[in-house]
Amino acid sequence: MSLPSQSPAQTCRPRPAPASDALQQPVRLHLAAVIQEQREAAGEYSKAAETLWTRIGQALEGGKLTRPRLVLLGHEAFASPAAGETESAERLQRVIQLGCAFELLHGSLLMHDDVIDRDFTRRGRPTLSALYRDDALARGKTAQDAEHAGHSAAIIAGDLLLAAAIKLARCAADSLPAADAIENSFHQAIHHAAAGELEDLLFSLGPVPAQVHEVLRMEKLKTAAYSFQVPLHTGALLAGADAAGAAALANIGSQLGVAYQLIDDILGTFGDPEQTGKSIESDLREGKSTILTAMAAATPGFSTHLQLFRDPDADVPAMRSALEAAGAERFARQLAHDLCAGATSASRTLNLPVAVSSELEAFADLILNRGA
């Protein structure tokens, strides 16, 4: 079985971008080509690895492709209007490659997150780890051994996706003056996500919730960096932005990213599972430190409820009622609103193109109205 001679992941030389301005289809096609190449290459040396890549591809299907949109937005914020057609097409192809790199990174982190959280469903679908768990159960393994097999496969899949993401990010920046800066920023996103995940884990081991400033730092590292901040930053660098301009745009992304996670915390406790696909019990039952628990823990009247925080058999509705009485949801929504307002205000001071500022404001509105 031979590999395509000019598959997207195989060469770092950008090819002409699709004529359509729509980003979704080109990104999905590119992602599919990357997965297909990896699957075919794996088939040359391991049928098991070939099957794993097939399942990875299935796990990556769907999604809103927010990160590629932000890469494009960062690029449009600083793209030269005088660029010729050929240069613009080449730059758009780089945006598509870099956007796909962030999607692969996102897939990697989700695989590992499922292991950390011991989850076997995501968005109402079985995870990759669930598929391998069920394979093991069908072979007569115990539930414990089957779960171990499932999580092990997810770790391997996450590692493969991480390697592919790093390679594709480097290809997207290849031969550009900002190549090293883009690669360093992408690596920073990985390191920040890992640090945030570690802090989240360690907070869950403490006797009481983390403090507000600790949760905000953790959420900035774990979610905001790789999902908002760095896509905007690297997109700007792709377009030739200077370090200060790219950093200023990245700071806007950081504020939006933290706001996004704050709303996610709210939906994880007070949302409608039918609309969000998120459990409203798992965060509380697992004793996760969120902005809700952090804020409430700082309220004197909430101290009597802290005994529930690490009790796996705790009365979750009672815990939710206590959070509501402490004003935790109201506080979190106001904080998210302030962050989004700060982000949109900062975008205006940067004198960004009108279309870019408008889309950043649309992102802010979308964040604040999630689950509404």
Side-chain angles (χ1 to χ4, degrees):
M1 187 182 297
S2 60
L3 298 180
S5 60
Q6 289 294 323
S7 62
Q10 190 179 34
T11 176
C12 289
R13 181 173 61 84
R15 301 180 301 158
S20 172
D21 290 334
L23 189 67
Q24 289 237 352
Q25 184 179 14
V27 168
R28 293 194 194 282
L29 289 173
H30 200 96
L31 274 174
V34 171
I35 298 299
Q36 176 67 14
E37 180 187 347
Q38 296 290 349
R39 181 168 54 241
E40 292 183 357
E44 295 287 344
Y45 56 83
S46 169
K47 297 301 292 183
E50 182 181 21
T51 299
L52 180 61
W53 274 108
T54 297
R55 288 178 166 181
I56 288 173
Q58 294 167 349
L60 295 185
E61 290 175 353
K64 296 182 290 292
L65 302 182
T66 299
R67 293 155 198 83
R69 284 178 59 196
L70 288 166
V71 173
L72 178 62
L73 199 59
H75 182 270
E76 290 179 340
F78 294 95
S80 171
E85 184 177 340
T86 300
E87 181 183 351
S88 296
E90 177 182 314
R91 287 299 177 96
L92 181 56
Q93 182 61 22
R94 291 183 186 273
V95 166
I96 291 168
Q97 286 182 312
L98 188 55
C100 287
F102 278 103
E103 285 302 295
L104 294 174
L105 173 59
H106 180 52
S108 169
L109 296 175
L110 290 184
M111 295 282 183
H112 290 163
D113 196 55
D114 288 339
V115 175
I116 293 168
D117 291 341
R118 292 176 282 192
D119 282 339
F120 289 100
T121 59
R122 182 173 288 277
R123 301 190 191 100
R125 296 169 48 192
T127 62
L128 181 141
S129 53
L131 299 180
Y132 282 93
R133 176 203 61 188
D134 293 346
D135 287 348
L137 288 172
R139 295 182 181 185
K141 298 299 181 182
T142 65
Q144 182 178 4
D145 287 345
E147 290 187 5
H148 174 72
H151 289 322
S152 298
I155 291 171
I156 295 167
D159 290 347
L160 291 174
L161 280 168
L162 183 59
I166 292 170
K167 178 182 177 181
L168 194 55
R170 182 64 197 186
C171 284
D174 186 58
S175 77
L176 290 179
D180 287 342
I182 291 169
E183 185 175 19
N184 289 339
S185 186
F186 194 81
H187 278 278
Q188 183 184 62
I190 297 169
H191 286 281
H192 281 198
E197 190 73 74
L198 178 61
E199 290 193 5
D200 193 14
L201 170 67
L202 297 179
F203 289 155
S204 71
L205 302 178
V208 295
Q211 297 179 38
V212 170
H213 74 276
E214 294 174 320
V215 169
L216 290 175
R217 183 192 65 229
M218 178 266 289
E219 295 187 338
K220 179 179 178 181
L221 291 170
K222 182 180 176 181
T223 301
Y226 91 90
S227 289
F228 288 84
Q229 177 183 347
V230 179
L232 283 172
H233 186 242
T234 52
L237 293 174
L238 270 181
D242 60 28
L249 188 61
N251 184 58
I252 292 172
S254 179
Q255 293 179 77
L256 291 175
V258 174
Y260 177 92
Q261 187 57 49
L262 295 180
I263 299 299
D264 206 59
D265 287 350
I266 293 170
L267 295 178
T269 297
F270 295 107
D272 180 355
E274 292 293 327
Q275 290 186 348
T276 66
K278 293 173 59 67
S279 166
I280 59 171
E281 293 199 358
S282 60
D283 284 356
L284 292 177
R285 199 169 292 285
E286 293 168 16
K288 278 185 170 291
S289 285
T290 67
I291 194 63
L292 301 172
T293 58
M295 181 273 164
T299 304
F302 191 76
S303 59
T304 57
H305 298 281
L306 286 178
Q307 61 183 348
L308 299 173
F309 187 66
R310 290 289 179 255
D311 183 358
D313 299 317
D315 184 343
V316 171
M319 189 72 165
R320 189 180 298 113
S321 296
L323 289 171
E324 188 172 13
E329 181 181 3
R330 185 171 61 254
F331 171 85
R333 287 196 181 277
Q334 183 61 52
L335 185 52
H337 180 275
D338 292 345
L339 285 165
C340 285
T344 54
S345 175
S347 74
R348 298 187 194 103
T349 64
L350 286 181
N351 294 319
L352 299 173
V354 173
V356 173
S357 291
S358 296
E359 185 144 0
L360 287 171
E361 291 180 10
F363 263 108
D365 289 340
L366 185 65
I367 288 168
L368 294 176
N369 290 295
R370 287 174 64 212

